[in-house]
């Protein structure tokens, strides 16, 4: 389906010469763009290019006000607006689907979707102030169900986000915004990052329908195939400035030119894999089950060979996400998992750690980082606690951290992984998503684990950061002999670094394929058509 033409559009939101600095560090430098009614406008750039800062300005994030505000102008329907808070953004007709979810875990799906716009029981609304009126929960539930139905997904409106897999929470985030009747501008920050290919395609078609109805959409994604598929125009940011603009009306998009505009450099593809001993098993799953809602594992049988990188992939909802969380003891398990001949107690989250097995989770903000702590603290925390590294006095867990050596190591990681920051003392919560992911990886690699389980390590990050992370995994595997289980929806990434790839279908390993196998073989395995096993 061809993208809708922007044509002679009516401008809905205009950004004129917007600049923003954090102290002496400029994040945006005179950025200008406009989005018209019915247009899907792509906003892309490396992590740290200024995208998040611009989106924070538009959605009224408090960090903008707390750090001195911004200069330049934002106009809605031709009128200047200042957006000091999320409430003002909402009242101005701006809605945002965040890459890092902002759902309330103790509220149901329906309550999250209706939050701030609840239906009230008419009688109580007429006789009581709004704050005391009773909420019409039945109508809120109906509205939530209708909004989710438009997205062609089945999510229980009575469920809690904490009990849902991350891909279903993505739909809840989107439904919360798209059910608004006053919405003029919809900002989508990596809306398909947690979804499989078919789910993503369906969602992109839904966004096109919204655009045809006159919605102005800002679409942020690191998946260039989606950007070029859905967007009418593209603005590329690099180092806080507009590096390039592309317009579908002027011809087909040139992906190579877009990548060059984003990075300003040539991409280095991770070097080839080494030959490994394919006989020694270090970790083995036997009829292992995980009761994770929406991602249940019904019986996993898999051996992980010493010194290999094994990829695990599959469609959302078929169980691959549950592997890491099951090992961390977050959901009920049965069956057995052994490491170097010792069986793990997967009901105990410390059992894996005690056996030198560590997890890099897919939810980096809520489960992978200490957002208020510095880059240094985040990088050395696990190595200090579990390996007695960076100690000034070797007194076990009661030793003091040698901050000189800790900061030196953190600075080496910043250099090695190209972590974009002001200093290693900067709080991790102020970094962009890709740089946060690099910090997570640096912390895990410092452990020199026997087995490292990484879940969606390249989700929602730009192409440059992605290659750095893939190369870092290869280097950790080579230098320390760490066996790596890489769980990912990004098949292309797995093909670059893995010795073999297991496809999970309906809660178990359907087959194993070589990274050189044709995509058609993987597609057949995803859908359950392939049953053979290849070593």
């Amino acid at each position: 389906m061809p993208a809708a033409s922007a044509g002679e559009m009516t401008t809905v939101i205009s950004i004129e010469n917007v600049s923003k600095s954090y102290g002496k560090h400029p994040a945006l430098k005179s950025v200008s763009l406009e989005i018209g009614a019915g247009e899907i406008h792509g906003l892309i750039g490396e992590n740290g290019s200024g995208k998040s800062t611009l989106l924070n300005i538009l959605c009224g994030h408090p960090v903008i006000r707390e750090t001195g505000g911004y200069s330049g102008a934002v106009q809605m329907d031709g009128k200047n607006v200042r957006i000091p808070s999320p409430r003002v953004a909402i009242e101005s007709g701006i809605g945002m689907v965040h890459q890092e979810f902002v759902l309330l875990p103790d509220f149901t799906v329906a309550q999250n979707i209706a939050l701030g716009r609840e239906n009230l029981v008419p009688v109580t609304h007429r006789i009581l102030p709004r704050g005391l009126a009773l909420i019409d929960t039945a109508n809120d539930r109906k509205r939530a169900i209708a909004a989710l139905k438009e997205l062609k997904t089945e999510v229980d409106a009575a469920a809690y986000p904490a009990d849902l897999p991350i891909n279903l929470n993505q739909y809840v985030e989107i439904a919360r915004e798209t059910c608004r009747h006053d919405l003029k501008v919809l900002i989508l920050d990596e809306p398909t990052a947690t979804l499989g290919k078919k789910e993503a395609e369906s969602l992109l078609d839904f966004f096109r329908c919204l655009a045809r109805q006159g919605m102005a959409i800002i679409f942020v994604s690191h998946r260039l195939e989606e950007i070029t598929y859905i967007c009418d125009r593209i603005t590329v940011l690099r180092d806080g400035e507009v590096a390039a603009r592309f317009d579908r009306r002027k011809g087909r998009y040139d992906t190579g030119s877009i990548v060059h505009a984003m990075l300003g450099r040539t991409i280095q593809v991770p070097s080839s894999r080494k030959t490994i001993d394919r006989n020694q098993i270090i970790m083995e799953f036997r009829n292992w089950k995980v009761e994770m809602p929406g991602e249940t594992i019904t019986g996993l049988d898999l051996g992980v060979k010493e010194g290999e990188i094994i990829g695990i992939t599959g469609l959302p909802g078929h169980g691959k996400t549950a592997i890491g969380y099951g090992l961390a003891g977050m959901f009920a398990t049965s069956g057995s998992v052994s490491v170097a001949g010792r069986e793990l107690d997967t009901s105990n989250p410390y059992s894996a750690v005690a056996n030198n097995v560590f997890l890099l989770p897919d939810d980096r903000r809520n489960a992978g980082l200490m957002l208020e702590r510095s880059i240094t603290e985040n990088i050395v925390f696990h190595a200090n606690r579990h390996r007695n590294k960076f100690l000034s006095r070797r007194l076990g867990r009661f030793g003091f951290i040698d901050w000189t050596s800790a900061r030196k190591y953190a600075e080496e990681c910043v250099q090695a992984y190209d972590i974009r920051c002001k200093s290693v003392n900067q709080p991790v919560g102020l970094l962009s998503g890709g740089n946060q992911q690099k910090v997570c990886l640096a912390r895990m690699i410092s452990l020199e684990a026997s087995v490292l389980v990484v879940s969606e390590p390249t989700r929602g990050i730009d192409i440059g950061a992605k290659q750095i992370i893939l190369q870092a995994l290869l280097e950790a595997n080579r230098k320390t002999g760490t066996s790596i289980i890489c769980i990912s929806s990004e098949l292309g990434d797995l093909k670059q670094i893995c010795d073999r790839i297991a496809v999970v279908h309906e809660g178990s390993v359907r087959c194993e394929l070589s990274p050189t196998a044709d995509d058609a073989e993987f597609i057949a395995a995803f859908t359950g058509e392939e049953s053979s096993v290849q070593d």
Side-chain angles (χ1 to χ4, degrees):
M1 182 188 298
S5 173
E8 295 298 325
M9 64 183 181
T10 301
T11 300
V12 176
I13 185 168
S14 176
I15 298 155
E16 299 177 358
N17 298 317
V18 167
S19 297
K20 168 65 184 172
S21 295
Y22 295 101
K24 296 181 180 180
H25 179 71
L28 292 175
K29 308 168 191 174
S30 298
V31 170
S32 297
L33 66 145
E34 60 181 30
I35 300 95
E39 178 188 10
I40 302 178
H41 194 111
L43 181 65
I44 60 175
E46 282 193 279
N47 293 108
S49 64
K51 300 189 308 296
S52 295
T53 296
L54 182 57
L55 299 186
N56 284 340
I57 289 172
L58 296 180
C59 72
H61 196 293
V63 71
I64 300 298
R65 183 183 68 255
E66 293 165 359
T67 54
Y70 63 93
S71 63
V74 177
Q75 293 186 337
M76 287 287 294
D77 297 324
K79 298 178 181 179
N80 286 337
V81 294
R82 301 297 292 187
I83 310 173
S85 67
R87 177 170 291 280
V88 173
I90 292 169
E91 291 171 349
S92 299
I94 299 172
M96 181 169 175
V97 175
H98 297 263
Q99 178 183 1
E100 307 293 350
F101 301 155
V102 291
L103 301 174
L104 300 179
D106 295 327
F107 280 35
T108 66
V109 166
Q111 288 172 322
N112 270 281
I113 290 174
L115 189 65
R117 302 183 297 275
E118 294 88 352
N119 287 297
L120 302 177
V121 176
V123 173
T124 63
H125 182 40
R126 286 195 294 268
I127 63 176
L128 295 171
R130 180 176 177 83
L132 297 177
L134 297 178
I135 294 175
D136 189 342
T137 54
N139 269 332
D140 282 351
R141 190 179 302 111
K142 288 179 182 177
R143 184 170 63 171
I145 291 170
L148 292 165
K149 187 175 180 181
E150 282 193 338
L151 296 174
K152 297 181 180 179
T153 186
E154 295 183 4
V155 181
D156 184 359
Y160 292 89
D163 296 329
L164 295 175
I166 195 167
N167 62 303
L168 295 186
N169 278 325
Q170 181 72 78
Y171 286 109
V172 180
E173 279 273 344
I174 294 169
R176 186 191 60 224
E177 300 304 323
T178 58
C179 74
R180 287 175 50 185
H181 300 298
D182 59 347
L183 192 62
K184 297 178 182 178
V185 178
L186 177 60
I187 302 172
L188 300 166
D189 190 4
E190 302 289 350
T192 64
T194 65
L195 307 180
K197 186 174 181 180
K198 288 186 177 180
E199 289 177 302
E201 288 176 350
S202 177
L203 198 56
L204 294 178
D205 288 338
F206 172 73
F207 296 146
R208 278 183 161 165
C209 288
L210 288 181
R212 285 195 291 268
Q213 295 167 20
M215 186 74 68
I217 297 176
I218 300 175
F219 188 83
V220 181
S221 177
H222 291 303
R223 292 179 173 179
L224 291 185
E225 67 275 14
E226 294 183 355
I227 287 283
T228 55
Y229 171 74
I230 197 175
C231 294
D232 303 301
R233 293 188 296 161
I234 299 170
T235 295
V236 181
L237 295 183
R238 187 171 77 237
D239 295 329
E241 299 179 278
V242 174
R245 303 183 195 273
F246 298 88
D247 191 331
R248 187 186 296 277
R249 295 169 298 182
K250 298 179 180 178
R252 294 183 62 181
Y253 291 132
D254 179 350
T255 304
S257 296
I258 294 173
V259 171
H260 188 270
M262 285 175 58
L263 306 180
R265 65 181 190 275
T266 303
I267 287 295
Q268 298 294 323
V269 177
S271 52
S272 59
R273 296 283 298 120
K274 65 184 187 316
T275 301
I276 62 167
D277 178 0
R278 304 185 67 86
N279 298 315
Q280 184 67 37
I281 297 293
I282 188 171
M283 188 173 191
E284 189 169 15
F285 299 84
R286 292 182 179 176
N287 194 30
W288 192 56
K289 300 178 177 67
V290 182
E291 297 177 16
M292 178 178 176
E295 283 284 337
T296 300
I297 293 178
T298 57
L300 184 68
D301 292 288
L302 182 69
V304 179
K305 300 181 177 74
E306 187 170 4
E308 78 167 333
I309 301 179
I310 180 171
I312 298 181
T313 190
L315 296 175
H318 283 260
K320 70 179 186 298
T321 304
I323 294 172
Y325 289 103
L327 288 172
M330 296 180 67
F331 296 96
T333 64
S334 60
S336 68
V337 184
S338 61
V339 178
R342 298 185 298 275
E343 188 163 330
L344 300 185
D345 176 8
T346 51
S347 67
N348 180 354
Y350 296 103
S351 179
V353 172
N355 286 276
N356 208 17
V357 178
F358 293 91
L359 168 68
L360 177 60
D362 57 342
D363 188 357
R364 58 182 172 243
R365 287 186 68 86
N366 294 319
L369 293 168
M370 300 177 291
L371 297 176
E372 302 300 322
R373 299 297 184 93
S374 70
I375 293 170
T376 298
E377 290 172 289
N378 273 273
I379 288 177
V380 306
F381 175 78
H382 276 72
N384 172 257
R385 183 173 182 182
H386 301 297
R387 289 285 180 272
N388 289 332
K389 290 185 175 182
F390 310 108
L391 290 178
S392 57
R393 292 189 298 161
R394 294 204 170 272
L395 297 176
R397 68 174 59 190
F398 301 106
F400 297 100
I401 294 179
D402 179 355
W403 288 109
T404 299
S405 64
R407 277 189 285 270
K408 181 181 178 182
Y409 179 76
E411 287 167 354
E412 291 172 355
C413 290
V414 165
Q415 183 71 24
Y417 304 132
D418 191 26
I419 299 171
R420 309 288 177 87
C421 61
K422 290 185 288 187
S423 78
V424 293
N425 299 318
Q426 184 177 0
V428 163
L430 297 181
L431 300 181
S432 66
N435 288 305
Q436 289 178 352
Q437 187 73 332
K438 293 174 187 176
V439 171
C440 284
L441 187 62
R443 182 179 64 200
M444 290 296 105
I445 288 176
S446 71
L447 289 163
E448 299 183 0
S450 295
V451 179
L452 179 59
V453 183
V454 294
S455 185
E456 302 292 354
T458 60
R459 191 189 76 211
I461 62 175
D462 66 77
I463 189 170
K466 179 179 293 190
Q467 299 306 320
I468 289 171
I469 285 175
L470 295 178
Q471 186 64 47
L473 290 172
L474 281 173
E475 289 299 320
N477 173 252
R478 287 195 185 102
K479 290 181 178 179
T480 66
T482 296
S483 300
I484 298 175
I485 302 173
C486 188
I487 303 164
S488 178
S489 303
E490 303 289 343
L491 182 58
D493 296 347
L494 295 179
K495 284 187 167 189
Q496 287 190 58
I497 66 170
C498 293
D499 298 292
R500 59 191 172 114
I501 301 171
V503 179
V504 174
H505 178 75
E506 294 184 348
S508 63
V509 173
R510 184 72 178 185
C511 69
E512 295 176 16
L513 293 168
S514 164
T516 60
D518 189 88
D519 284 354
E521 295 182 68
F522 282 98
I523 292 171
F526 287 163
T527 57
E529 297 176 10
E530 176 63 63
S531 59
S532 63
V533 176
Q534 299 182 20
D535 278 326

